Amino acid sequence: MDHSADRTTFKRHSSLSALVAHFFGILAVILMLIWLLHYREGIEYGSDNPLKVLNVHPFLMYCGFLFLVGQAMMTYKTAYASHQVQKMVHGGLHLIGLVLGIVGICAAFRFHDKVNVKDMVSLHSWIGLTTFILLGLQWLLGAFTFLAPQSSSGTRKRMMPWHVLGGRALLYMGIVAALTGLMQRATMLGQSTNAESRLINFTGLAILLFGVSVDFSVALGRYN
């Protein structure tokens, strides 16, 4: 059996899945910007308009947090660089995503304060905050396990399967949080135009396909 040929095939398919993921990921960013800027008045954290503050939340939670998490996952297996560089970029993108996610979550709480709405009452908020906290813990555990020089190779080997599986599970939890958030926002809008409703639906589909493509790329990359 030609194992080198098999590895080449998996690597090619992993890279193809990464390209597809980039297409859907960037498409979702464009669609979300069109929605928030054209239909929903804009994006501004410090605005006196509560809706502009709220728009910061979906923008940063997807375009800043979830999109970068997906990029970080793919980078580790598809980037043409040394293993050490892959690890640093992987961890760095996760960290940037977490920082932007904190701002996005703060925007949601700021909106609730402005309109006197209770925090953490929806399924979206439960899934979203749980996912964010677990990803933060995943990053800390990964930093101490895979980046710290005092960590042993045996510990890294034992932790790697759980780190990969946990990351993939949390990616899907993030996708679920994004989709339930879009559904919740559409419900808040009530009688939006047909064009806006379709735009929200297409944005959700693009986010879903982005997540699936990222997972395919990561799964295939494991066989390189």
Side-chain angles (χ1 to χ4, degrees), residues 120-190:
M120 302 301 298
V121 295
S122 66
L123 178 62
H124 162 68
S125 63
W126 289 11
I127 296 173
L129 190 59
T130 300
T131 302
F132 186 82
I133 292 172
L134 290 177
L135 267 167
L137 294 174
Q138 166 101 336
W139 184 88
L140 286 174
L141 183 60
F144 283 114
T145 302
F146 302 107
L147 295 178
Q150 66 270 22
S151 178
S152 67
S153 59
T155 300
R156 293 173 183 176
K157 287 181 181 179
R158 287 192 298 271
M159 288 299 299
M160 179 58 76
W162 297 106
H163 184 74
V164 173
L165 290 174
R168 291 171 65 185
L170 289 170
L171 172 69
Y172 278 109
M173 288 178 64
I175 298 298
V176 171
L179 298 184
T180 53
L182 286 175
M183 292 174 62
Q184 180 177 313
R185 188 69 185 277
T187 301
M188 288 172 56
L189 297 176

Side-chain angles (χ1 to χ4, degrees), residues 95-116:
L95 181 59
I96 295 171
L98 287 168
V99 171
L100 293 175
I102 290 172
V103 180
I105 292 172
C106 288
F109 286 121
R110 181 179 171 85
F111 167 76
H112 292 164
D113 290 340
K114 283 181 172 292
V115 297
N116 295 317

Side-chain angles (χ1 to χ4, degrees), residues 14 16-22 24 74 171-172 208-219:
S14 177
L16 179 60
S17 296
L19 287 175
V20 174
H22 280 92
F24 285 116
M74 292 187 294
L171 172 69
Y172 278 109
L208 174 61
L209 292 173
F210 167 71
V212 172
S213 301
V214 169
D215 189 47
F216 279 9
S217 178
V218 172

Side-chain angles (χ1 to χ4, degrees), residues 19-35:
L19 287 175
V20 174
H22 280 92
F23 170 77
F24 285 116
I26 294 172
L27 176 63
V29 170
I30 294 171
L31 293 177
M32 184 169 288
L33 284 173
I34 293 173
W35 173 45

Side-chain angles (χ1 to χ4, degrees), residues 192-199:
S192 58
T193 65
N194 289 333
E196 184 178 6
S197 297
R198 287 194 295 269
L199 180 60

